[in-house]
């Protein structure tokens, strides 16, 4: 609806403009005509508006009168004041003006005022005489009016073109000022029949439009379609109006046809008008009836015109009795074609004409050459039918187009002596000379490519969940068939370049389809070879895989444009991935090096690339290669714009960022629905593979300060899950994964399994895979394995040893698998344990630091950096880099004697003592040193430790750990003086480390006590 | 619970840790000029405080009431500040305090404002907010103290209640509001001399003491043995985490200070160079007999960088110190417990 409205209003203003230009005597023309139309509309419905209009216009005219007076007495100041008031009044009257058009008198005063001011401005002497106020007002007013008039430029120019009319109107005006404008209108109607007629001849289209519009307003949507049709004919008629000027032969007849009724009609109307005028005060109802009648007639008149070309052209194609020859037909064809692309050509009629021409040509046996030529043109004009890129073909057009191409192909196949090519010049065409091979200009490949585009457009513009979409999708087979035919044709006759292009087209229609037949064949290996052969024969030859292979290889070898090859590779990979040929797909992807330079490709290719990557990831997942799957999907998923990246829909939030134009472009890039990759499946695959990677990793690095996330998205989901105040049973796919992750964290694979694979998830995700069961078994196995790993990471500290049999029972894995998993963990130093072969047990070394020990390590690390920073401050103070310290003071401090007066190992030379530089490389002992609890000699424990913990220090000073901390301590002592650092910190860490070294004992004891 | 706690406090002097702290406070402060040498708390105050503590996890604050007798501050009553929520932002605290005190006066209870109290977790009370409010208290009422109560530590079996005052040095610094490195240096202040701890004595009436004894007898043995719990990881972990955070802050602060120092020295160098150049030029000019270049304002040319306020780092250091003390105490005690447990085990075997 709205579209029609907007175009309607557009052309309306156009017509009114052209009216102004053409009409020779438009005095009241512009002004008079429009109120006339409207007042008719209004009289019955909106009387209120009328009085408002009067009021506003009266206000304006009054102001104008004062301005004119002021102009006469050269009072520019007054002029300025009044002009400002006028502007305001005009603003108030804006709503009315919008409806009625700018009133003539308003334009007049603007033009006059400007002229007047310019005059004054030029008149140097006069200006000198002026008083100051006036002069000032003059300049301001001049500037203002210039600015103001810019908005009314067109009106003013048109007014200035016929200034003599102004006088007329002026007089009229003065007479009728008081009467109000409506009377004025009707007065002007009676100017003269001749003028009126002329005027009318332009008016009707506008009028009918008005009428249509009004209809729409009144009974809104009910008549939509009807209106549309009406409108169509309306537009064609008006189009041919302008065509007249260009002297189109085709439309000539229609013009005459149109003229006749117009004049008749108008005369009638004029008469009626006159009558109306005579009985001005006659009751309005009857008048309205009349008008309605008139309008209706107008409508009919329109419709008749719409039909005209069809009825009239047919006999007109060739004058009767003309001998139909090649030359005549081609001349005619050119005639028709000349109109092509020009504004206002009736495209439907043109197609009609061309089809007629084909018939005639066929009837008269003019030979295939001509027919082919005309067919080419028919198809071209079918494509041309929609001027707008965004709109798509109507179904009937589309059907016609397909038929036409098919026919064309039939002819081409039937007549191998026809040469078709886009580089055959018009002049060198040979359409009828049967002795030589026929040569026709035109390119079948382009037509087919265009057809493919149209098909995509149709699919894009159909609601994917409607029956209609299915209907359209049925055409896909036809499209494929055509492409195949063309392919065959071009394989014989085309250049390699053309073959590449048609191959690509074929590939694009093949790559996304899962080849169920081939799949079936694979599943049933040759049982009865004879029968399967038969089947194969029935199955019409090649697998899509073989086909893809053949087409792509040809393109790889022959193609010269990069784009086609890139597309072919991507499609090939996609096809491999779709059919679970992971290694081929991966190798092809890696070999092509597309990942490096895909960002330079154009958006559609990038979309294809994204689709391919996603398919690759899903393929890896099906193979159980979670890591590869995760890596492939990471880029797409982490952006959070998977939908956009895959060309499967626009994101709402970025709507503000792009303008209309961009949106249109993006919309055109969208992939049709039947090519879509299920986004939920994609996300699920990603999240599950992230879960399988991340959960064991998290368990292994629980207390690592610098642990990295593998997948941010997954963590985000976990956090969202944690934030839920009330945790119900999972509903969505994400919730399922989160719940499963939680179960896995505890090593509870059964719960995890039940969350990942259940009815809901099957329905949502897993059943979408072609080999759903295989995927599910793979998944269960993966969950078992990763749960086992997680379990070992999390709970190894609780065990002294654990039997592998127990583990294999717990996780329902067979013993060798458990063995291999554990061995792998041990080798990778993830698990501090050893395998005891005879008893089939895992013996824990219990060397992982506990949580507190980890914290202490972290703290020590942080202290290290703190010390380092502190040292720098101190260096700064001293001006030399540490020389002073290391030389004198520090040696003193760090010598064992200084710090450990009761040292048990006084023999330790000071040089062997760790130096002050607790820099990163020499920083605290890595894990190993700290957690060995057995170094504490039992003697030391009983030896008065209880009395004062601090005296432990010397006894333990042989430890590397402690020497390091003592280094820190000394440092703190030194630096403290200046920088206010707590040395107690170090002291307490010292103690803490001792304490923590006891810690495993502590735990044992605690357990034993209970 | 409350009763047992008072039981520990009912002996005229408070628990060992408190006295230890008191000794330190005396030694460290070394301040004969301090107005208050001792804080005597009525058992009632502790009970009241404890009760409101039990309600939530938020930090609780309130007003201490009492009077000063010679150099002893006797705290006999208290009332809490209402917990703030977002919707009563326009609540007038001063008004509330005044009315509360007036009402108490009507019923003939000590109504002299002698300080305030606050609860804390894991000893994380050394903050700017505490410093500021204690400063304003001490500025207005010379002998006011802040009473810090740690509910978690108390739950572990030892009453943790400490009274703090700002040292006179810090008071001076705060009065001048100059926290630049130089000012602090001049004031000779370090994190150790920011707060002085005032020894606490808990005093109960005889009647209450009698009640205590009775309760002591009645309470089961198991109630008293929280002190012997060997579980330590949680508390220690928390403390370490907090300590680590502060160390991080400290580190950042030092980095900031470092950059400041570097900038200053760089500027000094530039200034020096500039001056030298000037001098040389002037010398040349003199030799040529021209008048020397006019003196320019060097401070305008080289704006010294803004020195970072050192108060924060002082506070952080103080906080680290408290944490360290906590950890030290805790680990020392736990070590003791561990050895005890071991000995017990050996004995049983």
């Amino acid at each position: 609806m709205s579209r029609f409205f907007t175009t309607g209003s557009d052309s309306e203003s156009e017509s009114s403009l052209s009216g102004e230009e053409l009409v020779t005597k438009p005095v009241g023309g512009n002004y008079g005509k429009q109120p006339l139309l409207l007042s008719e509309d209004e009289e019955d419905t909106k009387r209120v508006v009328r009085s408002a209009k009067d009021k506003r216009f009266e206000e304006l005219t009054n102001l104008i009168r004062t301005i004119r007076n002021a102009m006469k007495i050269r009072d520019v100041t007054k002029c300025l004041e009044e002009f400002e008031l006028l502007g305001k009044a005009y603003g108030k009257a804006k709503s009315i003006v919008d409806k009625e058009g700018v009133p003539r008198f308003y334009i007049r005063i603007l033009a006059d005022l400007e002229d007047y001011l310019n005059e004054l401005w030029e008149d140097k002497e006069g200006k000198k005489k002026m008083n100051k106020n006036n002069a000032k007002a003059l300049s301001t007013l001049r500037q203002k009016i210039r600015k103001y008039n810019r908005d009314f430029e067109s009106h003013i120019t048109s007014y200035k073109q016929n200034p003599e009319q102004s006088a007329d109107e002026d007089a009229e005006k003065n007479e009728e000022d008081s009467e109000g404008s409506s009377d004025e209108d009707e007065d002007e109607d009676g100017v003269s029949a001749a003028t009126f007629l002329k005027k009318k001849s332009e008016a009707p289209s506008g009028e009918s439009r008005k009428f249509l519009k009004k209809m729409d307003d009144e009974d809104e949507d009910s008549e939509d379609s009807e209106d549309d049709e009406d409108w169509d004919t309306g537009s064609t008629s008006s189009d041919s109006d302008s065509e007249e000027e260009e002297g189109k032969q085709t439309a000539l007849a229609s013009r005459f046809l149109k003229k006749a009724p117009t004049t008749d009609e108008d005369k009638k109307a004029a008469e009626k008008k006159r009558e109306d005028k005579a009985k001005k005060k006659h009751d309005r109802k009857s008048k309205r009836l009349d008008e309605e009648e008139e309008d209706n007639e107008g409508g009919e008149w329109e419709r008749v015109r719409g039909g005209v070309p069809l009825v009239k052209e047919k006999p007109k194609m060739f004058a009767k009795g003309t001998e139909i020859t090649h030359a005549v037909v081609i001349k005619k064809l050119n005639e028709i074609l000349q109109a092509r692309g020009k504004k206002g050509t009736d495209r439907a009629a043109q197609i009609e004409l061309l089809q007629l021409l084909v018939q005639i040509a066929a009837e008269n046996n003019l030979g295939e050459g001509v027919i082919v030529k005309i067919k080419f043109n028919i198809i071209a004009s079918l494509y041309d039918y929609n001027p707008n890129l965004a709109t798509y073909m109507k179904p009937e057009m589309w059907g016609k187009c397909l038929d036409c191409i098919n026919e064309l192909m039939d002819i081409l196949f039937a007549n191998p002596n026809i040469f078709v090519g886009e580089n055959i010049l018009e002049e060198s065409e040979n359409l009828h000379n049967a002795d030589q091979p026929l040569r026709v200009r035109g390119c079948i490949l382009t037509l087919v490519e265009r057809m493919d585009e149209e098909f995509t457009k149709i699919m894009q513009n159909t609601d994917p969940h409607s029956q209609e979409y299915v209907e359209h999708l049925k055409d896909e087979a036809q499209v494929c068939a055509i492409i195949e035919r063309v392919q065959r044709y071009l394989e014989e006759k085309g250049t390699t370049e053309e073959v590449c292009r048609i191959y690509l087209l074929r590939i694009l229609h093949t790559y996304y389809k899962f080849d169920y037949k081939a799949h079936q064949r694979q599943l049933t290996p040759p049982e009865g070879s004879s029968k399967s052969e038969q089947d194969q024969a029935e199955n019409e030859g090649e697998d899509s895989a073989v086909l893809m292979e053949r087409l792509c290889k040809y393109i790889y070898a022959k193609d010269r444009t990069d784009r086609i090859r890139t597309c072919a590779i991507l499609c090939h990979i996609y096809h491999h991935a779709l059919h679970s040929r992971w290694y081929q797909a991966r190798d092809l992807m890696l070999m092509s090096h597309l990942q490096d330079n895909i960002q330079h490709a154009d958006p559609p290719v990038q979309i294809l690339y994204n689709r391919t990557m996603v398919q690759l990831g899903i393929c890896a997942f099906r193979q159980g290669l979670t890591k590869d799957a995760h890596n492939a999907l990471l880029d797409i998923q982490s952006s959070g714009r998977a939908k956009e990246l895959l060309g499967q829909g626009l994101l709402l939030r970025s709507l503000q960022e792009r303008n209309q134009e961009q949106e249109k472009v993006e919309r055109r890039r969208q992939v049709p629905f039947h090519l879509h990759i299920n986004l939920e499946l994609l996300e699920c695959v990603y999240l599950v593979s992230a879960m399988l990677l991340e959960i064991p990793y998290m368990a292994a690095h629980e207390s690592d300060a610098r642990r990295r996330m593998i997948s941010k998205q997954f963590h985000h989901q976990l956090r969202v899950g944690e934030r839920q105040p009330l945790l119900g049973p999972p509903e969505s796919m994400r919730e399922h994964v989160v719940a499963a992750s939680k179960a896995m964290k505890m090593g509870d694979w059964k719960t995890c399994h039940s969350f990942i694979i259940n009815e809901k998830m099957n329905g949502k995700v897993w059943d979408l895979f072609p080999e759903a069961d295989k995927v599910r078994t793979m998944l269960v196995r993966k969950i078992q394995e990763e749960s086992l790993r997680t379990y070992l990471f999390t709970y190894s500290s609780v065990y002294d040893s654990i039997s592998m049999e127990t583990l294999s029972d717990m996780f329902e894995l067979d013993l060798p698998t458990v063995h291999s998993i554990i061995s792998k963990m041990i080798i990778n130093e993830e698990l501090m344990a050893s395998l005891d072969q005879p008893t089939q047990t895992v013996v824990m070394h219990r060397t992982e630091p506990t949580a507190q020990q980890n914290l202490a390590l972290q703290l020590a690390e942080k202290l290290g950096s703190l010390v380092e920073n502190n040292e720098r401050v101190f260096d700064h103070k001293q001006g030399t880099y540490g020389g002073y310290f290391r030389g004198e003071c520090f040696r003193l401090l760090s010598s064992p004697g200084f710090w450990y007066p009761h040292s048990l190992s006084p023999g330790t030379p000071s040089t062997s003592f760790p130096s002050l530089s607790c820099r990163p490389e020499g920083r605290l002992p890595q894990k190993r040193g700290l957690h060995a609890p057995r170094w504490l000699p039992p003697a030391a424990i009983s030896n008065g430790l209880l009395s004062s913990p601090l005296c432990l220090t010397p006894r333990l000073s042989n430890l590397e750990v402690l020497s390091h901390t003592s280094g820190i301590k000394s440092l703190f002592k030194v630096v403290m003086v200046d920088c206010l650092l707590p040395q107690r910190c170090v002291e307490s860490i010292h103690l803490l480390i001792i304490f923590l070294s006891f810690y495993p004992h502590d735990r044992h004891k605690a357990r034993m006590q209970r | 619970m409350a009763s047992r706690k008072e039981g520990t406090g009912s002996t005229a002097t408070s628990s060992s840790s408190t006295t230890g702290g008191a000794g330190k406070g005396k030694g460290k402060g070394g301040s004969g000029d301090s107005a208050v040498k001792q804080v005597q708390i009525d058992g009632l105050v502790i009970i009241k405080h404890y009760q409101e503590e039990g309600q939530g996890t938020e930090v609780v604050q309130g007003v201490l009431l009492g009077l000063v007798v010679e150099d002893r501050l006797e705290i006999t009553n208290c009332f809490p500040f209402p917990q703030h929520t977002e919707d009563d932002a326009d609540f007038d605290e001063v008004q509330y305090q005044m009315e509360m005190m007036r009402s108490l006066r009507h019923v003939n209870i000590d109504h002299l404002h002698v300080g305030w109290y606050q609860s804390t977790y894991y000893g994380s009370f050394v903050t700017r907010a505490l410093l500021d409010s204690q400063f304003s208290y001490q500025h207005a009422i010379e002998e006011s103290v802040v009473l810090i109560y740690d509910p978690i530590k108390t739950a572990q079996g030892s009453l943790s209640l400490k009274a703090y005052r700002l040292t006179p040095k810090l008071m001076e610094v705060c009065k001048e509001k100059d926290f630049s490195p130089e000012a602090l240096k001049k004031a000779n202040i370090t994190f150790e001399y920011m707060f002085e701890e005032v020894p606490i004595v808990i005093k109960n009436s005889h009647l209450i003491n009698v009640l205590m004894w009775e309760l002591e007898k009645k309470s089961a043995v198991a109630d008293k043995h929280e002190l012997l719990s060997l579980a330590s990881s949680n508390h220690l972990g928390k403390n370490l985490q907090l300590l680590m955070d502060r160390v991080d802050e400290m580190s950042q602060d030092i980095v900031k200070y470092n950059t400041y120092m570097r900038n200053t020295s760089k500027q000094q160098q530039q200034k020096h160079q500039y001056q030298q150049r000037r001098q040389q030029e002037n010398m040349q000019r003199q030799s040529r007999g021209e008048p020397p270049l006019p003196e320019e304002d060097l401070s305008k040319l080289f704006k010294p960088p803004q020195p970072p306020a050192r108060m924060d780092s002082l506070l952080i250091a103080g906080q680290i110190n408290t944490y360290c003390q906590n950890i030290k105490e805790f680990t020392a005690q736990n070590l003791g417990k561990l050895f005890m447990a071991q000995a017990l085990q050996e004995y049983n075997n």
Side-chain angles (χ1 to χ4, degrees), chain A residues 3 32 57 143 158 248 291 313 365 460 573 631 634 648 668 675 685 773 789 799 806 836 921-922 952 968 979 989 991:
Chain A
R3 185 154 57 90
F57 279 10
Q143 272 175 359
S158 71
K248 288 287 144 316
E291 274 152 17
E313 293 305 344
N365 285 328
Q460 279 170 351
I573 297 170
N631 288 342
L634 185 63
Q648 300 189 353
R668 237 174 289 146
L675 304 185
V685 164
D773 287 324
R789 273 161 56 81
Y799 289 100
T806 324
D836 189 37
E921 64 275 7
L952 263 179
I968 298 176
C979 298
I989 288 174
L991 200 58

Side-chain angles (χ1 to χ4, degrees), chain B residues 18 22 36 51 90 99 136 151 162 174-175 195-196 199 232 294 341:
Chain B
T18 329
V36 183
Q51 267 179 341
D90 51 346
E99 254 170 46
S136 59
K162 299 197 175 173
C174 285
K175 246 180 243 168
F195 295 95
E196 56 179 350
S232 56

Side-chain angles (χ1 to χ4, degrees), chain A residues 387-666:
Chain A
N388 195 338
L389 258 178
T391 50
Y392 63 102
M393 270 190 176
K394 288 197 188 108
E396 57 266 31
M397 284 289 186
W398 168 245
K400 234 188 255 177
C401 176
L402 287 183
D403 291 344
C404 222
I405 295 179
N406 263 328
E407 281 166 30
L408 185 62
M409 290 310 298
D410 284 339
I411 298 172
L412 287 180
F413 270 110
N415 302 285
N417 63 338
I418 300 180
F419 283 104
V420 179
E422 56 187 334
N423 40 14
I424 298 172
L425 293 173
E426 294 274 344
E427 295 85 52
S428 62
E429 274 186 333
N430 176 11
L431 297 180
H432 46 85
N433 191 348
D435 308 335
Q436 288 164 3
L438 296 170
R439 293 162 67 86
V440 182
R441 180 184 159 85
C443 180
I444 184 80
L445 181 60
T446 333
L447 289 183
V448 173
E449 277 176 347
R450 188 70 205 271
M451 173 196 73
D452 185 53
E453 270 169 43
E454 285 297 336
F455 179 68
T456 317
K457 237 191 273 176
I458 290 175
M459 296 320 276
Q460 279 170 351
N461 284 294
T462 319
D463 173 18
H465 303 292
S466 63
Q467 193 59 35
E468 206 187 345
Y469 194 86
V470 181
E471 289 301 321
H472 284 315
L473 200 53
K474 282 179 189 159
D475 289 341
E476 217 259 339
Q478 232 176 321
V479 171
C480 287
I482 288 176
I483 291 174
E484 230 180 301
R485 289 183 79 180
V486 175
Q487 179 198 334
R488 251 182 294 140
Y489 180 75
L490 286 177
E491 271 168 358
E492 284 169 29
K493 301 203 169 170
T495 61
T496 48
E497 201 184 318
E498 282 172 325
V499 175
C500 281
R501 273 162 70 189
I502 194 70
Y503 274 7
L504 181 65
L505 218 52
R506 183 85 194 276
I507 288 170
L508 285 174
H509 276 276
T510 317
Y511 80 97
Y512 64 90
K513 291 175 189 155
F514 188 76
D515 193 348
Y516 276 98
K517 280 178 195 154
H519 183 62
Q520 223 63 47
R521 253 173 275 153
Q522 262 181 4
L523 283 186
T524 50
E527 18 171 312
S529 59
S530 61
K531 203 190 163 201
S532 72
E533 262 170 41
Q534 247 182 357
D535 275 350
Q536 249 164 355
E538 272 174 19
N539 283 343
E540 74 211 75
E542 48 186 0
D543 279 0
S544 66
V546 182
L547 176 72
M548 287 292 287
E549 191 83 18
R550 188 165 60 80
L551 299 180
C552 288
K553 284 211 167 130
Y554 184 87
I555 290 180
Y556 300 155
K558 298 278 166 64
D559 176 58
R560 282 204 196 77
T561 65
D562 219 21
R563 192 177 184 278
I564 292 182
R565 190 170 45 227
T566 310
C567 286
I569 291 174
L570 288 173
C571 291
H572 202 178
I573 297 170
Y574 189 101
H575 193 260
H576 276 317
L578 192 66
H579 293 84
S580 300
R581 294 188 290 271
W582 156 251
Y583 290 104
Q584 277 118 304
R586 187 199 59 185
D587 293 347
L588 199 52
M589 178 57 96
L590 292 178
M591 277 193 306
S592 64
H593 292 289
L594 277 176
Q595 280 150 312
D596 305 332
N597 48 22
I598 194 69
Q599 65 267 27
H600 304 304
D602 50 353
V605 178
Q606 285 190 13
I607 287 176
L608 184 61
Y609 171 79
N610 290 338
R611 285 165 54 76
T612 307
M613 280 313 277
V614 165
Q615 202 62 24
L616 206 56
I618 292 174
C619 172
F621 181 77
R622 277 191 309 234
Q623 308 291 308
L625 305 162
T626 36
K627 197 160 189 185
D628 293 305
H630 180 266
N631 288 342
L633 299 181
L634 185 63
D635 284 341
I636 304 285
Q637 275 294 317
S638 61
S639 65
R641 307 182 293 145
K643 199 173 169 194
E644 205 180 357
L645 289 176
L646 292 177
Q648 300 189 353
L650 305 175
L651 285 187
L652 280 179
R653 71 175 155 73
S654 53
L655 259 180
Q656 294 96 6
E657 290 160 24
R658 55 171 179 248
N659 52 30
Q660 212 104 70
E661 207 48 45
Q662 276 171 311
E663 197 186 327
K664 260 186 215 157
V665 173
E666 273 175 45

